[in-house]
Amino acid sequence: GNSVTQMEGPVTLSEEAFLTINCTYTATGYPSLFWYVQYPGEGLQLLLKATKADDKGSNKGFEATYRKETTSFHLEKGSVQVSDSAVYFCALSRRGNKLVFGAGTILRVKS
Amino acid sequence: EAQVTQNPRYLITVTGKKLTVTCSQNMNHEYMSWYRQDPGLGLRQIYYSMNVEVTDKGDVPEGYKVSRKEKRNFPLILESPSPNQTSLYFCASSQDWESSYNSPLHFGNGTRLTVT
């Protein structure tokens, strides 16, 4: 079946550090891939997505590239801010199938 | 403002006392879904609905009921809550089932339920 594996957290970084959160997936065919972010006390919101191989999704300085050869969709940001502290979820979906989420990675950014 | 509204935000109850968590969306979305979020497990789908009067089980439906009598509302019912249903619950919606694989889910702000 379809599944998503994310790196365990929490990830703790200093402000302006480089961020990578790893995400790998297992799926048949060609899923769409997503990163959702959950700020404290809020629901999840879409951060970025990619719908086919080699697509790069980007938003708010975050980027992730759909790598079919390595079945990965790692989230990166060049310089994190305290306001980026949140829980990040990698997810996949295929046409006619529900969205499947990873376990989530807590990011803590210190000033 | 387009939104998914859940109520209540916090709920503490006792084992066996029936409760309902309400969910309403104002975007005319056809597809709605309930999730529970537990540490280390991510989000797991409880039930979903593709349209009015069409509902189906997700991954963890035991102990829950839903109904979809109107397009905008999708309440979650726990008829006899137990402590293992203590969790953070989210309602979500998207335009329709067909586009849900490729378009964002819109989430409510969550309901934190504690069953003692």
Side-chain angles (χ1 to χ4, degrees):
Chain A
N2 300 331
S3 66
V4 174
T5 303
Q6 289 180 236
M7 62 187 290
E8 287 190 29
V11 174
T12 303
L13 296 173
S14 298
E15 213 166 17
E16 299 184 3
F18 186 86
L19 168 71
T20 300
I21 300 178
N22 290 336
C23 170
T24 57
Y25 68 90
T26 301
T28 54
Y30 302 93
S32 294
L33 300 174
F34 306 83
W35 277 101
Y36 279 81
V37 58
Q38 182 183 26
Y39 298 106
E42 298 183 10
L44 283 72
Q45 54 187 276
L46 180 68
L47 181 58
L48 53 85
K49 71 175 186 182
T51 58
K52 61 182 187 294
D54 299 325
D55 266 3
K56 178 185 281 188
S58 61
N59 186 24
K60 299 182 181 180
F62 291 89
E63 293 183 340
T65 302
Y66 189 143
R67 301 283 189 204
K68 188 157 180 64
E69 64 277 11
T70 54
T71 62
S72 65
F73 193 55
H74 304 321
L75 182 68
E76 296 181 336
K77 187 175 185 183
S79 176
V80 293
Q81 306 299 312
V82 172
S83 56
D84 293 326
S85 297
V87 184
Y88 292 82
F89 291 91
C90 186
L92 70 81
S93 183
R94 292 186 58 222
R95 186 185 294 272
N97 287 272
K98 65 178 184 287
L99 201 59
V100 175
F101 289 91
T105 302
I106 297 171
L107 171 65
R108 298 185 180 131
V109 181
K110 297 182 175 179
S111 59
Chain B
E1 180 190 351
Q3 59 185 5
V4 177
T5 303
Q6 290 179 233
N7 281 297
R9 289 294 305 272
Y10 301 92
L11 181 57
I12 300 174
T13 190
V14 295
T15 299
K17 186 176 182 182
K18 181 179 179 179
L19 66 91
T20 299
V21 184
T22 63
C23 173
S24 180
Q25 50 91 4
N26 63 0
M27 296 168 280
N28 202 37
H29 284 170
E30 292 184 354
Y31 179 80
M32 297 185 74
S33 181
W34 276 102
Y35 294 86
R36 59 177 290 172
Q37 181 181 6
D38 301 290
L41 297 177
L43 275 78
R44 294 178 293 168
Q45 190 179 48
I46 303 170
Y47 269 94
Y48 65 94
S49 170
M50 290 190 277
N51 213 326
V52 176
E53 303 291 2
V54 181
T55 63
D56 207 347
K57 296 177 181 178
D59 298 316
V60 288
E62 294 78 19
Y64 304 94
K65 283 178 58 177
V66 293
S67 68
R68 186 91 182 273
K69 293 183 169 51
E70 305 166 281
K71 199 172 190 178
R72 63 183 293 127
N73 295 323
F74 191 44
L76 179 69
I77 302 156
L78 285 72
E79 297 219 325
S80 184
S82 62
N84 65 12
Q85 292 178 298
T86 292
S87 187
L88 180 58
Y89 291 86
F90 287 101
C91 181
S93 72
S94 69
Q95 185 173 343
D96 54 54
W97 171 247
E98 180 63 22
S99 67
S100 66
Y101 89 104
N102 205 24
S103 60
L105 278 175
H106 298 260
F107 283 82
N109 283 338
T111 296
R112 186 166 291 282
L113 172 65
T114 303
V115 183
T116 61

